[in-house]
């Protein structure tokens, strides 16, 4: 077994600065994404417990379909550094409105580990992300998890970080993610072709060594560690390093077609994430160049055109947004047309265009979002009462996504001296809505402007 002390001999991360090359693994001309058979997205979980109604904790250890099921004998990894109590922040519901608060779930002293893991899955399926994060931290520090159970520890740690981010506690997640240290270190690689003695003498991973950390955790850690260390360039460099690994794996001849497809999907996802990272850095011009240079599969062509339009609108380049729409031949009933009208300040035109979309019924999947945008345009055009009616009707129809409740709270502030009472009543209405599992139930007070 590898001792904890070996963890401190890891090499220094190479992700502290972006690569000097102007062309990287995410935008090479010889792109594996150019294959015509790229049309299937891989699922992060092997089984959706929310659909089956069976909660056994299995999905917590099934994050990565390509991860090794177990490490070879004599090559176990000691992950006790992720089981320390002082690593995890105390969580509180003080920033959550009273109607939305729920009791933290704490395992009983004699409770089986499988029962606790099942409770985590139930909380995830319901949308109680803050409660799930708390329970994951409790399980990790409860001494019921073996320090060498890498799949379970990484699964719980990933769930903890992801739930913290989803519940509006990304800063806490960023601080806790630093415990992973350098994910490119040889500590996290295992060569299944070597015996234990050879592995102990190895100073760096071989070309075919496999990473023991699930892919979703590696991708999430890149972003969170860049926030935690206050270095946005670290995130860009980390994504490019993952892109290089994805390209190497795609080119391996012994891969099955399904495994190669998963790596292609991952490489495509990294390309979009690199654009998002540049946007978060505030370098919108670089983000636009990166987005235009990406090789996109045919199945993603339409949505990528929409991304280009939205990014151009964010930059403020309306001419470029219109040009993309014209070149793409987007129909008049596209939601991008009223968005361009809003960007130009033509709110009356946007109102008519949003209404036309609702009447045509061709965007049924986005009906709630379209209705909200219509209400915003009505607000800007001085029709405050109608805007309020539309937003309240959406809440009555059990819609409560973040921008909706925030916009309705803003309308209450503009139209009433008793905005505080109305916003509290809004929080109570949201708390009574049926659980869908698609929305965070542990909503902060900031969503309601309380």
């Amino acid at each position: 077994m590898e001792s904890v002390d070996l963890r401190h001999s890891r090499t220094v991360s190479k992700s502290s600065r972006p690569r000097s090359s102007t062309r990287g693994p995410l935008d090479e001309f010889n792109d594996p994404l150019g294959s015509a058979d790229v049309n299937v997205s891989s699922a992060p979980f092997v089984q959706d417990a929310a659909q089956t109604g069976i909660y056994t904790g299995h999905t917590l250890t099934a994050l990565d379909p390509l991860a090794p099921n177990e490490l070879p004998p004599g090559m176990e990894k000691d992950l006790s550094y992720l089981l320390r109590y002082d690593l995890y922040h105390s969580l509180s519901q003080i920033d959550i409105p009273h109607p939305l608060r729920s009791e933290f779930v704490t395992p009983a002293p004699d409770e089986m580990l499988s029962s606790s893991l099942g409770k985590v899955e139930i909380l995830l399926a319901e949308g109680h992300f803050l409660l799930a994060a708390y329970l994951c931290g409790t399980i990790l520090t409860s001494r019921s998890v073996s320090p060498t159970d890498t799949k379970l520890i990484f699964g719980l740690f990933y769930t903890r970080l992801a739930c913290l981010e989803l519940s509006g506690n990304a800063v806490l997640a960023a601080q806790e993610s630093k415990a992973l240290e350098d994910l490119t270190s040889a500590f996290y690689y295992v060569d299944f072709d070597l015996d234990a003695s050879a592995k102990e003498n190895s100073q760096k991973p071989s070309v075919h060594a496999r990473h023991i950390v699930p892919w979703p955790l590696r991708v999430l850690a890149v972003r969170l560690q860049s926030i935690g260390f206050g270095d946005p360039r670290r995130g860009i460099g980390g994504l490019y390093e993952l892109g290089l690994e994805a390209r190497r794996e795609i080119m391996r001849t012994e891969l099955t077609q399904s495994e190669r497809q998963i790596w292609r999907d991952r490489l495509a996802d990294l390309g979009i994430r690199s654009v998002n990272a540049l946007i978060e850095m505030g370098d919108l011009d670089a983000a636009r160049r990166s987005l235009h240079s990406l090789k996109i599969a045919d199945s993603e062509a339409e949505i990528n055109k929409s991304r280009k339009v939205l990014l151009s609108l964010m930059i403020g380049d309306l001419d470029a947004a219109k040009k993309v729409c014209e070149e793409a031949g987007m129909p008049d009933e596209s939601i991008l047309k009223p968005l361009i009208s809003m960007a130009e300040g033509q709110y009356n035109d946007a109102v008519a265009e949003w209404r036309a979309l609702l009447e045509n019924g061709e965007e049924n999947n986005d009906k709630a979002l379209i209705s909200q945008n219509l209400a915003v345009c009505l607000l800007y055009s001085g029709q405050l009462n109608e805007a309020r009616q539309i937003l309240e009707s959406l809440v009555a129809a059990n819609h409560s996504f973040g921008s909706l409740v925030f916009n309705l709270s803003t309308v209450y502030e503009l139209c009433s001296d008793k905005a505080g009472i109305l916003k509290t009543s809004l929080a109570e209405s949201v708390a009574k809505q049926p659980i869908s599992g698609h929305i965070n139930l542990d909503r902060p007070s900031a969503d309601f402007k309380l």
Side-chain angles (χ1 to χ4, degrees):
M1 181 183 300
E2 195 166 319
S3 65
V4 182
D5 294 337
L6 292 178
R7 183 174 62 87
H8 298 289
S9 63
R10 302 179 203 168
T11 58
V12 179
S13 173
K14 299 179 182 179
S15 303
S16 58
R17 62 178 295 273
R19 299 181 180 275
S20 56
S21 174
T22 57
R23 185 168 298 280
L26 306 181
D27 52 5
E28 291 181 4
F29 288 113
N30 184 18
D31 203 310
L33 295 178
S35 176
D37 57 355
V38 180
N39 54 14
V40 180
S41 298
S42 61
F45 293 142
V46 175
Q47 179 183 14
D48 188 356
Q51 293 180 358
T52 62
I54 301 175
Y55 301 96
T56 61
H58 172 67
T59 57
L60 298 176
T61 58
L63 297 175
D64 188 348
L66 300 183
N69 292 326
E70 57 183 13
L71 301 184
M75 294 187 182
E76 293 86 357
K77 299 291 183 177
D78 187 350
L79 303 182
S80 56
Y81 61 94
L82 294 179
L83 305 180
R84 301 194 322 266
Y85 182 82
D86 61 332
L87 170 62
Y88 301 99
H89 294 79
S90 298
L91 302 182
S92 170
Q93 299 189 60
I94 191 172
D95 291 332
I96 299 177
H98 284 281
L100 295 173
R101 294 181 184 178
S102 302
E103 292 185 6
F104 283 118
V105 179
T106 303
D110 58 346
E111 184 173 328
M112 298 291 292
L113 177 60
S114 59
S115 177
S116 300
L117 297 179
K119 290 180 179 179
V120 174
E121 288 190 343
I122 293 175
L123 293 174
L124 293 174
E126 292 177 346
H128 283 294
F129 299 130
L130 184 65
L131 303 188
Y134 175 87
L135 183 53
C136 287
T138 302
I139 296 174
L140 286 169
T141 57
S142 64
R143 298 184 180 180
S144 61
V145 179
S146 170
T148 59
D149 192 346
T150 55
K151 292 193 72 173
L152 179 57
I153 293 176
F154 286 136
L156 287 169
F157 194 68
Y158 167 78
T159 305
R160 164 84 177 190
L161 298 183
C163 288
L164 285 177
E165 187 174 29
L166 289 171
S167 60
N169 296 281
V171 175
L172 298 182
Q175 293 299 321
E176 294 181 4
S177 70
K178 293 194 291 185
L180 292 169
E181 297 187 13
D182 182 11
L183 285 174
T184 64
S185 162
F187 173 83
Y188 288 113
Y189 287 89
V190 170
D191 195 329
F192 287 75
D193 297 329
L194 298 178
D195 56 23
S197 59
K199 178 64 180 71
E200 291 177 356
N201 298 327
S202 177
Q203 297 297 323
K204 62 180 180 178
S206 66
V207 177
H208 298 294
R210 300 175 67 181
H211 209 289
I212 63 173
V213 179
W215 182 263
L217 177 55
R218 297 174 65 187
V219 175
L220 179 62
V222 165
R223 178 176 183 272
L224 291 180
Q225 287 187 346
S226 68
I227 297 174
F229 289 106
D231 185 7
R233 298 176 302 170
R234 182 189 182 100
I236 297 293
L239 290 174
Y240 268 67
E241 287 179 355
L242 291 177
L244 283 172
E245 179 178 341
R247 285 185 173 276
R248 287 196 299 267
E249 294 295 327
I250 291 174
M251 300 304 176
R252 287 174 56 185
T253 56
E254 64 270 22
L255 288 183
T256 65
Q257 185 60 31
S258 60
E259 291 174 338
R260 185 170 286 107
Q261 180 62 53
I262 291 175
W263 282 111
R264 286 170 175 162
D265 293 337
R266 289 175 174 179
L267 184 59
D269 176 67
L270 291 173
I272 299 301
R273 289 179 184 271
S274 67
V275 176
N276 289 337
L278 289 170
I279 293 175
E280 289 184 342
M281 290 174 59
D283 195 344
L284 299 181
D285 286 335
R288 177 163 59 179
R289 291 194 299 271
S290 296
L291 183 59
H292 280 271
S293 64
L294 288 179
K295 304 295 183 181
I296 302 296
D298 294 339
S299 59
E300 295 286 324
E302 290 301 322
I303 191 173
N304 196 58
K305 293 173 183 176
S306 299
R307 294 187 185 116
K308 293 179 180 179
V309 173
L310 294 175
L311 182 54
S312 297
L313 293 178
M314 180 181 294
I315 295 173
D317 192 345
L318 300 183
D319 292 336
K322 293 179 180 179
K323 183 178 180 181
V324 173
C325 286
E326 294 174 356
E327 293 177 350
M330 293 186 176
D332 293 337
E333 58 270 16
S334 169
I335 63 173
L336 297 176
K337 184 177 180 180
L339 287 178
I340 293 176
S341 298
M342 292 177 66
E344 292 177 325
Q346 304 295 331
Y347 295 107
N348 290 325
D349 294 342
V351 166
E353 291 163 353
W354 288 123
R355 290 189 193 278
L357 286 178
L358 291 175
E359 292 173 358
N360 291 337
E362 297 186 9
E363 300 287 347
N364 289 329
N365 294 333
D366 300 322
K367 185 176 180 179
L369 185 61
I370 292 173
S371 299
Q372 181 201 220
N373 288 336
L374 171 60
V376 172
C377 292
L378 289 170
L379 173 62
Y380 278 103
S381 59
Q383 303 177 60
L384 184 59
N385 291 333
E386 186 177 357
R388 175 178 175 177
Q389 292 175 1
I390 292 176
L391 295 177
E392 288 180 337
S393 66
L394 290 175
V395 174
N398 296 326
H399 295 290
S400 62
F401 47 92
S403 58
L404 170 59
V405 296
F406 186 87
N407 288 331
L408 182 53
S409 299
T410 302
V411 170
Y412 285 153
E413 292 177 343
L414 295 174
C415 69
S416 175
D417 294 332
K418 300 180 180 180
I421 298 176
L422 292 173
K423 289 186 287 187
T424 301
S425 177
L426 173 61
E428 293 174 352
S429 299
V430 172
K432 295 177 182 178
Q433 292 182 353
I435 296 176
S436 64
H438 301 295
I439 296 178
N440 176 32
L441 298 184
D442 307 319
R443 310 282 283 275
S445 298
D447 283 8
F448 300 88
K449 305 186 73 171
L450 290 171

